[in-house]
């Protein structure tokens, strides 16, 4: 079981209504949100931030945003968020070759230079200490405008919160997310780990 037990999806009507967003992105309401709603102000603020961050106002596609989230979650080691991010990337139309080779984004031909710059930004920004430097900035500015960079960092920062929340909580991974994690990440050692309900 997780550190804190998720509540029913019907517990807070306002959260339930806002959480319909996740039926599109994941096909289910995440256990993380069901736990946050023990303090409904947190669950509602989180969902609204998620919707704002994932809105497309420039050239950063929904699929790329989810791959940025995956790289960030991989850097921090959160299996829960890795599975969710790769599932959402699939649902938002990431190319099969990209999904199958996300670990090799730096060298694989399925990724463009612009995508590599974005994903390297995600990796650098997710490290402790932070590794964003002049080279990362220069490469970003070759392909992206400042609004798009803000969108990317919004995703990275959102998943910084989620990585801390779910890894500390030991949030149980939903079956559909486990399936996506195994399908696309299993060949590189993906495992549910602490998120299988046995941590605490």
């Amino acid at each position: 079981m997780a550190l804190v037990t998720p509540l029913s999806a019907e517990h807070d009507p306002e959260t339930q209504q806002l959480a319909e967003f996740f039926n599109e992105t994941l096909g289910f309401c995440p256990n993380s949100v069901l736990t946050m709603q023990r303090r409904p102000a947190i669950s509602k603020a989180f969902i609204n931030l998620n919707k704002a961050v994932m809105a497309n106002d420039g050239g950063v596609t929904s699929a790329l945003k989810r791959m940025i989230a995956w790289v960030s979650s991989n850097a921090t080691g959160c299996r829960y968020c890795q599975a969710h991010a790769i599932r959402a990337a699939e649902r938002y139309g990431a190319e099969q070759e990209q999904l199958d080779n996300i670990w090799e984004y730096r060298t694989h031909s399925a990724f463009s230079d612009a995508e590599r710059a974005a994903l390297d930004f995600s990796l650098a920004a997710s490290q402790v200490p932070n590794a964003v430097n002049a080279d990362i900035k220069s490469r970003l500015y070759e392909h992206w405008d400042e609004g798009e960079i803000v969108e990317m960092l919004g995703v990275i920062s959102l998943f910084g919160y989620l990585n801390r929340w779910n890894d500390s909580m030991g949030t149980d991974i939903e079956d559909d997310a486990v399936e996506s994690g195994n399908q696309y990440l299993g060949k590189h050692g993906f495992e549910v780990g602490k998120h299988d309900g046995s941590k605490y």
Side-chain angles (χ1 to χ4, degrees):
M1 289 187 63
L3 181 64
V4 174
T5 307
L7 294 171
S8 161
E10 292 78 35
H11 174 77
D12 178 65
E14 287 182 73
T15 297
Q16 183 180 13
Q17 184 175 7
L18 285 169
E20 290 177 6
F21 167 74
F22 296 108
N23 291 331
E24 176 187 322
T25 61
L26 296 168
F28 55 83
C29 182
N31 284 329
S32 54
V33 173
L34 299 180
T35 304
M36 288 178 207
Q37 69 176 344
R38 287 189 176 275
R39 293 295 181 264
I42 295 176
S43 60
K44 289 182 280 191
F46 166 74
I47 296 169
N48 281 318
L49 177 61
N50 196 318
K51 291 170 75 172
V53 165
M54 292 304 184
N56 296 324
D57 295 318
V60 187
T61 66
S62 294
L64 180 55
K65 285 186 176 183
R66 273 63 183 195
M67 289 189 285
I68 288 169
W70 179 83
V71 168
S72 180
S73 300
N74 187 53
T76 63
C78 180
R79 301 294 197 182
Y80 183 90
C81 292
Q82 288 172 33
H84 279 222
I86 204 72
R87 178 174 178 79
E90 174 189 24
R91 290 175 66 87
Y92 276 102
E95 296 176 15
Q96 185 70 40
E97 207 171 0
Q98 289 184 324
L99 293 168
D100 289 337
N101 297 284
I102 185 73
W103 291 86
E104 288 85 31
Y105 76 84
R106 284 182 164 161
T107 57
H108 198 279
S109 61
F111 296 88
S112 68
D113 287 341
E115 290 167 332
R116 288 190 186 99
L119 297 173
D120 275 347
F121 177 41
S122 180
L123 180 61
S126 302
Q127 294 176 24
V128 178
N130 191 288
V132 176
N133 57 26
D135 178 62
I136 295 285
K137 178 180 178 180
S138 175
R139 290 178 56 217
L140 283 171
Y141 274 75
E142 287 177 20
H143 304 284
W144 306 101
D145 67 30
E146 291 186 332
E148 291 165 335
I149 293 168
V150 165
E151 284 188 53
M152 292 178 205
L153 191 53
V155 174
I156 296 161
S157 300
L158 178 72
F159 274 80
Y161 170 83
L162 284 169
N163 294 160
R164 296 280 187 277
W165 181 277
N166 290 303
D167 238 12
S168 299
M169 192 66 71
T171 308
D172 295 346
I173 303 182
E174 307 81 3
D175 290 343
D176 288 345
V178 172
E179 181 181 334
S180 295
N182 287 334
Q183 179 179 355
Y184 296 111
L185 309 175
K187 65 182 178 181
H188 294 285
F190 173 82
E191 56 185 34
V192 174
K194 69 174 72 174
H195 302 286
D196 69 356
S198 64
K199 181 181 179 189
Y200 298 111

